[in-house]
Amino acid sequence: MSRKILAIGNALVDVIAPVSPATLSDLGITPGGMTLVDAETSRKIHASLSETRAVSGGSAANTAAIAAMLGARVAYAGKTSGDALGQSFAADMDALGVASVIAPETSGPDTGSCLSLITPDAQRTMCTHLGAATTLQAADISQAALTDADIVFLEGYLLDAPGGYEIFRHVIAARPQTLALTLSDAGCVDRHAAFLDAILGSIDLLFGNEEEMGALFPETTGPAQATLAAARHVAGVICTDGPNGVHIGEHGLHAQLPAVKAEVRDTTGAGDSLAGTVLWGLAAGHSLIDSARMATHVAAEVISGVGARPARDLRDILAQAGYLGTPAEA
């Protein structure tokens, strides 16, 4: 049985829609990034979309979902409202066996949403209205929830919320056995560079893509250098590099794993799925590099479909790839 993972993040419902590059240009949205929008702007963009599909999401929630799909014992901390979107979010997480440690709000902002706009090249551009997610406070996350978990996972997007810095400080003060962080977005790194630099030594496992790692270590050239720079501060580093695979930094050394070939339809949740698989692997007793190898197969499955949560049994995918069977608890 895996150790327990607690994921903490912005609870959102993803609204996924195909769009043309011209639509992004007309909306004044930078392709490939994440833009924070207010409720009115979110509603206007949503109304302009002709084809949508809603699924519970948020970066840390997607990571929690993938880890739970693989068999980990997972809990999640994030704020939703008791509205229809909040009820949908709770039902989706409950169906996966992810335990919620925070009750929905009965008043205040609506449940947050993320418009995930997918262009024909499979790139996703996000317009996020945080809604109730912004009301998450350090006091909402009990000491019991933190000490019950062997791995605590934070998403960088939390830093954009009013209570984000205090949530990070609260979690760090609890001294979890393993504290993992995903950088979330290069813009997020830029906005909070000084804070991230100050707390980096408290992080045990760092996730990011090549742009995010480059933003965190602007003096480096390329993802391999950025991974090594991160590994001087953090015990374990995972840096995704698109079709070039995954860079691993551990014990001051660098390794690179190739990407698993896939027909890319939607990159939404690729990094989240990789993080979820790595967390599950570590919780089940696998090494960081073996966990990352398995994660490349899960990420390939995710990007070959639409949305961050695949329909196929992920353990079957890993079994077919020859990875499951050891250690016994996996």
Side-chain angles (χ1 to χ4, degrees):
M1 195 69 173
S2 307
R3 297 175 295 168
K4 193 162 189 177
I5 298 163
L6 172 64
I8 305 171
N10 292 323
L12 305 172
V13 174
D14 290 335
V15 178
I16 302 166
V19 299
S20 68
T23 298
L24 296 182
S25 179
D26 291 343
L27 292 170
I29 299 169
T30 302
M34 191 282 288
T35 302
L36 290 173
V37 298
D38 58 24
E40 182 180 356
T41 302
S42 179
R43 284 193 293 267
K44 286 182 178 178
I45 296 173
H46 196 173
S48 73
L49 303 174
S50 59
E51 180 185 345
T52 62
R53 181 168 69 90
V55 61
S56 298
S59 177
N62 287 334
T63 294
I66 293 294
M69 288 178 186
L70 286 163
R73 295 187 297 121
V74 185
Y76 177 75
K79 276 286 185 74
T80 62
S81 174
D83 57 13
L85 286 181
Q87 292 173 26
S88 173
F89 182 95
D92 285 350
M93 298 297 272
D94 185 63
L96 293 170
V98 178
S100 175
V101 300
I102 300 176
E105 291 293 305
T106 56
S107 62
D110 293 340
T111 297
S113 62
C114 176
L115 302 177
S116 189
L117 310 178
I118 313 301
T119 44
D121 61 358
Q123 185 180 59
R124 60 96 176 95
T125 299
M126 296 179 291
C127 296
T128 303
H129 168 54
L130 293 173
T134 63
T135 66
L136 182 65
Q137 301 292 322
D140 295 317
I141 306 164
S142 70
Q143 188 66 32
L146 291 169
T147 56
D148 188 44
D150 293 291
I151 300 174
V152 177
F153 176 79
L154 292 165
E155 63 173 74
Y157 285 135
L158 276 172
L159 296 174
D160 285 323
Y165 281 30
E166 285 307 311
I167 291 170
F168 270 60
R169 293 186 182 108
H170 176 58
V171 172
I172 290 169
R175 298 184 179 275
Q177 182 174 328
T178 299
L179 178 55
L181 167 67
T182 180
L183 294 173
S184 295
D185 179 79
C188 182
V189 174
D190 288 337
R191 289 190 294 274
H192 308 288
F195 181 80
L196 288 169
D197 184 64
I199 59 104
L200 200 57
S202 300
I203 305 302
D204 302 299
L205 179 59
L206 183 68
F207 294 92
N209 63 26
E210 72 280 11
E211 293 180 351
E212 295 154 7
M213 289 290 181
L216 189 62
F217 298 98
E219 72 280 5
T220 62
T221 302
Q225 280 192 20
T227 300
L228 276 171
R232 288 195 285 269
H233 304 272
V234 180
V237 180
I238 302 285
C239 177
T240 59
D241 191 15
N244 298 315
V246 178
H247 299 268
I248 314 291
E250 189 177 24
H251 306 306
L253 301 176
H254 169 266
Q256 185 172 0
L257 302 177
V260 173
K261 290 184 179 179
E263 182 179 348
V264 182
R265 294 183 61 199
D266 174 16
T267 57
T268 302
D272 301 336
S273 67
L274 188 134
T277 307
V278 169
L279 296 184
W280 160 79
L282 294 175
H286 296 279
S287 67
L288 180 63
I289 195 162
D290 283 345
S291 298
R293 284 194 182 99
M294 291 186 283
T296 60
H297 289 268
V298 173
E301 176 66 20
V302 169
I303 64 176
S304 65
V306 177
R309 302 184 186 179
R312 291 180 64 196
D313 188 317
L314 298 180
R315 291 183 66 87
D316 283 350
I317 291 168
L318 294 182
Q320 290 167 10
Y323 286 106
L324 294 188
T326 57
E329 66 268 31

